[in-house]
Amino acid sequence: MRRLPRVITVTVLVATFSLPAACGSGQREPSQSRPAADRVTWVTGFGAFGREAYVYVAQEKGFFKEAGIEVAVQPGKGSGENLAAVLGGRAQFAAVDFTATLISAAAGKAEGAVTVAALHQRTLAALMTLEGSGISRPKDLEGKTVGDAASSVIRMMFPGYARLAGVDASKVKWVSLEPAQLAANLASGQVDAIGQYVVGRPTVRNAAKGKEVTVLPFGDVVTDLYGSAVTTSKEVASGRPDLVRRFTGALLKGLAYAVEHPQEAARILAGKQPAQNAEVAAAELALMAPYVRPAGGAPIGTMSRQRVERAIAVLRTAGALEKGLTPESVVSFDLLPKG
């Protein structure tokens, strides 16, 4: 039987507890040992913007500590690279847009990855531009230049989005930019539009010195899609299910707190990432709140087979999937949060 590679380093801490004196002996209980926290790496979805504050909240509030986990956070560069980090064992968990997981799995590039919780109940994928760009509808993108990270889910989704929106994708030029460069390049006119999550509007407007931002949400055209999700390897999911449940439970607790207390969460983020503007980060979190909570009072992080099936069907109709998938091949339903 093949053994799961050890990706978590475990050490031992020794704690000594005193017993009340018995018959005046003054003897103490023998030393007892307990395992130290499991150490894991989390890769954020895209940089360290306000929308990523929840992991730092979970650290600061002790949610991971309560779960017996020590988390190292690495800013992500997009879903493609995040998937590679999980599949390559460089991270145990990562935020990966669920649509990117579906597209990659259908192409045979993510068969070792699995989703264990939804961070966003609806897709946040969008394109953004500024007033004066001449772009107010999808068709206006033809002949324009769009900037985004090379492995962004928005670039992965665009051919299918364009097909459904009546856009000739071959007439749109893409240039690769780092996450932190996107808003600045749009503001300076280096590109006509950028790939961005809808909650990134405050960040873009801040970089553009208050100029009006036009948002083209992909969810208006491609329906029934989840947004970012907690992703791990199938080896970790099958070999360490308790670790997965503890990690996702603590992370989602941080997510719930962050969207309920955006100002505080933004201050925590700015303390960890000084380059971030707390006011802009809080605005992102406020915009993200409606995307986080499922309908009908279901627990944060939940997913349903029916919606996953519909997402697969929609993407196949859009020509975004090379082959069919089953929900069970991409989601570990046994590990999803339970009410």
Side-chain angles (χ1 to χ4, degrees), residues 141-153:
L141 292 165
E142 294 180 1
K144 299 295 195 296
T145 299
V146 181
D148 202 0
S151 65
S152 166
V153 66

Side-chain angles (χ1 to χ4, degrees), residues 19-319:
L19 282 174
C23 302
S25 66
Q27 293 183 350
R28 297 181 180 273
E29 180 185 16
S31 296
Q32 298 177 357
S33 62
R34 58 184 178 183
D38 288 313
R39 297 176 182 174
V40 304
T41 295
W42 165 256
V43 181
T44 69
F46 201 61
F49 300 108
R51 73 206 74 158
E52 311 292 349
Y54 57 91
V55 67
Y56 299 107
V57 169
Q59 284 182 324
E60 186 71 15
K61 293 294 181 181
F63 300 153
F64 288 129
K65 185 176 181 180
E66 290 171 2
I69 303 172
E70 186 177 309
V71 179
V73 180
Q74 295 181 358
K77 295 185 177 181
S79 291
E81 290 199 24
N82 289 6
L83 270 174
V86 167
L87 293 172
R90 299 190 300 278
Q92 286 70 50
F93 301 96
V96 178
D97 195 290
F98 187 60
T99 300
T101 297
L102 293 176
I103 293 173
S104 298
K109 299 177 181 178
E111 294 176 348
V114 66
T115 296
V116 294
L119 294 167
H120 307 133
Q121 293 295 312
R122 291 177 287 143
T123 181
L124 275 66
L127 293 175
M128 292 190 187
T129 186
L130 301 176
E131 58 182 341
S133 68
I135 301 172
S136 60
R137 58 189 181 124
K139 188 70 174 176
D140 296 334
L141 292 165
E142 294 180 1
K144 299 295 195 296
T145 299
V146 181
D148 202 0
S151 65
S152 166
V153 66
I154 294 166
R155 291 183 78 158
M156 293 184 195
M157 290 176 67
F158 185 74
Y161 167 80
R163 180 177 177 180
L164 294 179
V167 177
D168 185 344
S170 68
K171 295 181 179 179
V172 180
K173 178 182 177 182
W174 289 80
V175 296
S176 297
L177 298 169
E178 291 296 312
Q181 298 174 336
L182 291 172
N185 274 262
L186 180 63
S188 66
Q190 298 299 306
V191 293
D192 301 303
I194 57 172
Q196 185 64 262
Y197 271 2
V198 294
V199 298
R201 187 172 189 168
T203 297
V204 174
R205 188 173 185 185
N206 182 63
K209 308 300 182 185
K211 279 187 177 181
E212 191 60 39
V213 179
T214 297
V215 182
L216 301 177
F218 281 18
D220 288 353
V221 175
V222 191
T223 58
D224 277 320
L225 302 181
Y226 285 100
S228 287
V230 182
T231 305
T232 189
S233 69
K234 290 182 178 177
E235 281 191 311
V236 171
S238 62
R240 298 294 306 275
D242 178 63
L243 172 64
V244 174
R245 290 189 179 96
R246 285 185 287 122
F247 177 83
T248 55
L251 185 73
L252 295 176
K253 192 174 179 180
L255 178 61
Y257 192 96
V259 297
E260 289 169 3
H261 305 87
Q263 301 290 341
E264 182 184 355
R267 289 194 296 270
I268 290 172
L269 171 68
K272 300 281 188 178
Q273 298 286 342
Q276 296 303 313
N277 181 307
E279 182 178 352
V280 171
E284 281 203 9
L285 288 167
L287 288 173
M288 190 170 77
Y291 292 85
V292 169
R293 294 197 177 278
I300 287 179
T302 192
M303 302 175 75
S304 74
R305 283 181 176 83
Q306 293 76 15
R307 273 202 62 192
V308 174
E309 286 175 345
R310 293 201 301 269
I312 292 170
V314 166
L315 291 172
R316 290 207 72 184
T317 299

